[in-house]
C-alpha cells in the first residue's frame, strides 16, 4: 500500500539498503496499527470526562510497567512529577503491549521513522519531494508544493509566532481596529445575554449559572498584552533542521516549566498572524488574533452588515463554543463541573440530537458527515449566526427595508457571512477532512447555519419547506 511504499522510500533516502527499508516499513506499519487500535476514536475524545483520568505516577507506572518512567521523567528534567492526568489509559496499556512484543531493534526503527518523518521538510530536496508526493497524492490533492517563501513564513510563524507578530501587527492592525472589534464583541455578548434571558427551556438555577459564565468570559483581541521572549532560542544561519529541532526543544521546555507553577492567564495559544480564532473552555476566554481581524472577515471601515455577517458570526461562533455540547460541561471558572439541572440538561441533549441528525444527512463525495464529530462546531455555527444576527438587528432595526436597486441590509449580512466561507478544496483533501475535521465542510457551515436561522428565510422571502427554510429547524441557542 501507498503508505508502506512511502515509508520504505524515506528510509532508503535516510541510508537503509532497499530490503532493510522495506522491512522497516512493515515494522512501522505494525507498530502504528497497534498504537492506533489502542487509541480512543476522535468522536469519543470530544467528551472531556472520557479523557480525564487522574492516574498519578503510580497509576501510569501500572498502566505501562515495561516502560522506565523514572528514566523518562529524569530525562525530561522533572524526576519528581507525581500528579498525572492521563487522557486515554487504554493507550498506555496498548503501548506497554508493543514494548512487550517488539524487540529493541523494531522500537529503534519506529523511532527513526518518527524522526525522519517529522524532519522531512528540513531535510535535503529528495526527502521534501517524497514527503510532498505522498501527502499530495494520498491526502491533500495539491498539484504543486507551496512556494519556498510560504513554507518559510509558516515555519517562522510556528517557531517564532510572537516575534513574527510584532512587525505583522504594526503593519496591519491599528488601535482603531482593536476598538471596533471590541465594540463588536460587546454587541455579541449583549445579544447572547438577551437569548439566555428569554430561553423557555432553561430553568432559573441553570440560567443564573449560564449568565455567570457569560459574564466571566475574557476576550483577547489582536495580540497579547505582553510579548513572549525568545531569548533562549538559538537560531543559526547554517542549518534549518537544527533550528527546527532547537525550536521544538525550546517549546517543550517552556511547557514543562509550567508544571507546578500558577496558570498564566495572559498566554495565547495561537499566534497573532493566524487566520483563526478560538474559545478555551479551561480559561473561559475567546481569542481573536489580528490575522482574522482582516478582510474578508473584518475591516474597521467596512459596512455594519459586512462586519456583522463575517467577523460577527465568528465572534458568535466562539462565544457559542462556551455553550456547545462540550463547552457547557465547564463552568464560569473553567472547571469541569455539572451546573445543569437534569431536566434542562435533557432538553439540551434533545436539541443537540436534532443537529447531529441534520448534519449527518449532508454528504461530501458520497460520504456522510459525522454528525457527532462535528456537533460542537455545528452548534457554534448555528448559534454564532443567530447571535450575530440578533446583535446586527439591534444596530440596524430596519434590516429588511427594501433598498433601491440593491440588496437589503439583512441580505447583505447573509451574503457577507456566506462569502467569508468561500473555499475551494480538492477531492482528496475534502475526503480526508470528512473523517478527521470537527468542522463541517464550508458549504454546509453556510447551508446548515442559514437553514436554522429564521431571519434568513425572512431576508430572502423563501417559501417554507424550501431547502434553506425547512419547516422543522434545529435551534439550540
Ligand atoms: Zn469552532
Amino acid at each position: 500500500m501507498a503508505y508502506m511504499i512511502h515509508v520504505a522510500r524515506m528510509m532508503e533516502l535516510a541510508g537503509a539498503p532497499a530490503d532493510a527499508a522495506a522491512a522497516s516499513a512493515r515494522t512501522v506499519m505494525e507498530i502504528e496499527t497497534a498504537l492506533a487500535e489502542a487509541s480512543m476514536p476522535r468522536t469519543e475524545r470530544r467528551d472531556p470526562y472520557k479523557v480525564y483520568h487522574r492516574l498519578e505516577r503510580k497509576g501510569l507506572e501500572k498502566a505501562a510497567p515495561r516502560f522506565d518512567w523514572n528514566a523518562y521523567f529524569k530525562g525530561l528534567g522533572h524526576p519528581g512529577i507525581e500528579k498525572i492526568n492521563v487522557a486515554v489509559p487504554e493507550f498506555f496499556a496498548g503501548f506497554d503491549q508493543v514494548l512487550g512484543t517488539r524487540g529493541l531493534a523494531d522500537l529503534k526503527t519506529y523511532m527513526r521513522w518518527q524522526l525522519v518523518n517529522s524532519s522531512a521538510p528540513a531535510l535535503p530536496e529528495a526527502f521534501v519531494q517524497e514527503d510532498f508526493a505522498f501527502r499530495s497524492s494520498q491526502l491533500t490533492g495539491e498539484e504543486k508544493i507551496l512556494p519556498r517563501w510560504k513554507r518559510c513564513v509558516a515555519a517562522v510563524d510556528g517557531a517564532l509566532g510572537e516575534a513574527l507578530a510584532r512587525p505583522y501587527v504594526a503593519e496591519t492592525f491599528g488601535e482603531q481596529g482593536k476598538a471596533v472589534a471590541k465594540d463588536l464583541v460587546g454587541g455579541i455578548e449583549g445579544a447572547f445575554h438577551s437569548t439566555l434571558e428569554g430561553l423557555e427551556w432553561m430553568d432559573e438555577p441553570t440560567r443564573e449559572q449560564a449568565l455567570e459564565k457569560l459574564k466571566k468570559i475574557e476576550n483577547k483581541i489582536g495580540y497579547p498584552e505582553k510579548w513572549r521572549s525568545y531569548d533562549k532560542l538559538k537560531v543559526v544561519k547554517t542549518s534549518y533542521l537544527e533550528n527546527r529541532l532547537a525550536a521544538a526543544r525550546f517549546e517543550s521546555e517552556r511547557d514543562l516549566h509550567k508544571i507546578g507553577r500558577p496558570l498564566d492567564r495572559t498566554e495565547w495559544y495561537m499566534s497573532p498572524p493566524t487566520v483563526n480564532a478560538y474559545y478555551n473552555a479551561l480559561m473561559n476566554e475567546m481569542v481573536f488574533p489580528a490575522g482574522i481581524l482582516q478582510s474578508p472577515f473584518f475591516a474597521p471601515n467596512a459596512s455594519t452588515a459586512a462586519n456583522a455577517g463575517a467577523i460577527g458570526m465568528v465572534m458568535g461562533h466562539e462565544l457559542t463554543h462556551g455553550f456547545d455540547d462540550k463547552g457547557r460541561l465547564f463552568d464560569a471558572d473553567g472547571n469541569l463541573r455539572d451546573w445543569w439541572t437534569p431536566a434542562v440538561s435533557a432538553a439540551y441533549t434533545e436539541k443537540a440530537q436534532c443537529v447531529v441528525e441534520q448534519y449527518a444527512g449532508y454528504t461530501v463525495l458520497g460520504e456522510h458527515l459525522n454528525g457527532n464529530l462535528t456537533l460542537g462546531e455545528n452548534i457554534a455555527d448555528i448559534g454564532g449566526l443567530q447571535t450575530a444576527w440578533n446583535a446586527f438587528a439591534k444596530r440596524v432595526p430596519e434590516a429588511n427595508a427594501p433598498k433601491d436597486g440593491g440588496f437589503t441590509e439583512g441580505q447583505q449580512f447573509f451574503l457577507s457571512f456566506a462569502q467569508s466561507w468561500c473555499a475551494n478544496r480538492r477531492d482528496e483533501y475534502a475526503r480526508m477532512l470528512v473523517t478527521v475535521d470537527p468542522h463541517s465542510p464550508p458549504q454546509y457551515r453556510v447551508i446548515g447555519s442559514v437553514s436554522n436561522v429564521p431571519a434568513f428565510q425572512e431576508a430572502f422571502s423563501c417559501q417554507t419547506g424550501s431547502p434553506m427554510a425547512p419547516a422543522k429547524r434545529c435551534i439550540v441557542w
Side-chain angles (χ1 to χ4, degrees):
M1 75 191 265
Y3 182 63
M4 277 172 59
I5 294 170
H6 166 59
V7 175
R9 277 194 191 132
M10 293 284 274
M11 295 304 243
E12 233 184 303
L13 287 173
D19 51 344
S24 292
R26 274 194 301 278
T27 303
V28 165
M29 187 70 195
E30 285 164 13
I31 294 180
E32 286 190 348
T33 304
L35 293 177
E37 276 165 2
S39 301
M40 183 183 282
R42 233 166 242 275
T43 306
E44 273 178 61
R45 268 185 278 150
R46 290 194 60 249
D47 180 345
Y49 287 102
K50 286 193 179 164
V51 292
Y52 186 91
H53 305 278
R54 284 294 298 259
L55 293 193
E56 317 304 0
R57 177 76 159 256
K58 273 206 173 68
L60 181 63
E61 285 166 357
K62 220 170 121 190
R66 291 186 177 94
F67 190 71
D68 189 345
W69 292 104
N70 288 334
Y72 175 75
F73 286 119
K74 198 170 157 223
L76 283 185
H78 292 264
I81 291 180
E82 287 296 335
K83 295 178 182 168
I84 293 171
N85 183 8
V86 171
V88 186
E90 297 77 14
F91 178 82
F92 286 89
F95 165 61
D96 195 67
Q97 267 220 302
V98 168
L99 295 182
T101 49
R102 313 295 311 208
L104 184 60
D106 286 355
L107 298 174
K108 282 184 174 175
T109 296
Y110 173 76
M111 297 304 286
R112 193 176 305 121
W113 162 246
Q114 294 301 324
L115 180 63
V116 170
N117 187 33
S118 62
S119 310
L123 295 176
E125 188 64 16
F127 288 91
V128 175
Q129 289 304 334
E130 172 56 33
D131 180 54
F132 174 73
F134 172 72
R135 281 186 298 102
S136 59
S137 66
Q138 302 301 316
L139 302 171
T140 65
E142 288 163 283
E143 281 171 4
K144 268 203 308 234
I145 194 161
L146 282 178
R148 196 179 178 87
W149 74 267
K150 286 196 179 178
R151 285 181 273 147
C152 290
V153 170
V156 174
D157 185 44
L160 296 155
E162 287 189 18
L164 178 69
R166 292 166 79 157
Y168 176 82
V169 298
E171 209 167 291
T172 59
F173 192 71
E175 282 306 308
Q176 193 209 353
K178 197 160 186 157
V180 178
K182 266 197 172 147
D183 180 52
L184 279 170
V185 177
I188 293 294
E189 288 176 339
F192 202 79
H193 191 276
S194 305
T195 299
L196 286 177
E197 282 186 322
L199 280 185
E200 282 167 16
W201 53 272
M202 195 167 258
D203 60 15
E204 290 317 311
T206 311
R207 194 187 323 271
E208 210 172 279
Q209 301 261 338
L211 287 167
E212 172 74 4
K213 179 162 184 176
L214 174 66
K215 198 174 87 190
K216 280 200 170 171
I217 291 180
E218 289 283 341
N219 298 308
K220 292 176 177 170
I221 293 170
Y223 52 90
E225 304 278 317
K226 67 169 205 263
W227 295 103
R228 273 182 64 178
S229 161
Y230 293 94
D231 288 353
K232 285 190 183 143
L233 174 57
K234 211 174 137 214
V235 180
V236 297
K237 285 191 173 172
T238 45
S239 168
Y240 177 34
L241 177 62
E242 242 175 76
N243 288 338
R244 278 175 67 105
L245 294 173
R249 180 182 293 264
F250 172 76
E251 205 54 45
S252 153
E253 275 169 7
R254 178 170 167 274
D255 275 339
L256 289 167
H257 185 74
K258 294 175 189 167
I259 296 171
R261 290 189 167 75
L263 181 65
D264 177 6
R265 291 197 171 266
T266 67
E267 185 173 357
W268 282 51
Y269 299 112
M270 270 181 192
S271 78
T274 306
V275 185
N276 205 342
Y278 66 90
Y279 170 79
N280 178 359
L282 298 171
M283 301 239 243
N284 194 21
E285 65 173 9
M286 294 195 277
V287 183
F288 303 98
I292 201 166
L293 296 167
Q294 309 289 331
S295 192
F297 284 100
F298 172 74
N301 53 2
S303 72
T304 303
N307 278 338
I311 197 71
M313 180 274 176
V314 172
M315 289 167 167
H317 171 101
E318 300 309 339
L319 178 70
T320 308
H321 269 317
F323 302 86
D324 72 16
D325 64 310
K326 183 170 153 185
R328 79 178 186 92
L329 304 173
F330 295 83
D331 69 11
D333 298 313
N335 296 314
L336 185 56
R337 176 175 73 82
D338 190 4
W339 47 270
W340 297 65
T341 57
V344 180
S345 192
Y348 185 99
T349 307
E350 199 186 310
K351 288 170 183 299
Q353 188 55 32
C354 177
V355 178
V356 171
E357 284 159 24
Q358 180 193 342
Y359 284 77
Y362 295 141
T363 58
V364 172
L365 302 165
E367 300 279 341
H368 281 268
L369 304 194
N370 178 339
N372 286 305
L373 176 65
T374 57
L375 178 58
E377 294 297 338
N378 296 335
I379 290 174
D381 279 347
I382 302 164
L385 186 64
Q386 181 65 59
T387 305
W389 173 267
N390 293 349
F392 170 68
K394 249 188 224 173
R395 274 174 213 238
V396 185
E398 301 292 309
N400 289 329
K403 280 228 163 161
D404 273 349
F407 292 109
T408 66
E409 295 278 337
Q411 288 170 341
Q412 289 176 45
F413 168 93
F414 287 108
L415 287 169
S416 171
F417 160 61
Q419 285 178 351
S420 70
W421 292 104
C422 272
N424 190 9
R425 285 178 177 171
R426 294 186 192 277
D427 289 355
E428 291 87 340
Y429 190 54
R431 202 171 283 126
M432 173 183 74
L433 289 184
V434 167
T435 53
V436 301
D437 192 352
H439 303 87
S440 292
Q443 65 269 39
Y444 296 122
R445 296 192 72 168
V446 174
I447 292 170
S449 304
V450 298
S451 304
N452 291 318
V453 171
F456 176 79
Q457 174 175 11
E458 213 175 300
F460 288 95
S461 311
C462 306
Q463 289 268 334
T464 299
S466 58
M468 284 176 247
K472 178 194 164 213
R473 289 191 169 91
C474 300
I475 296 170
V476 180
W477 295 110

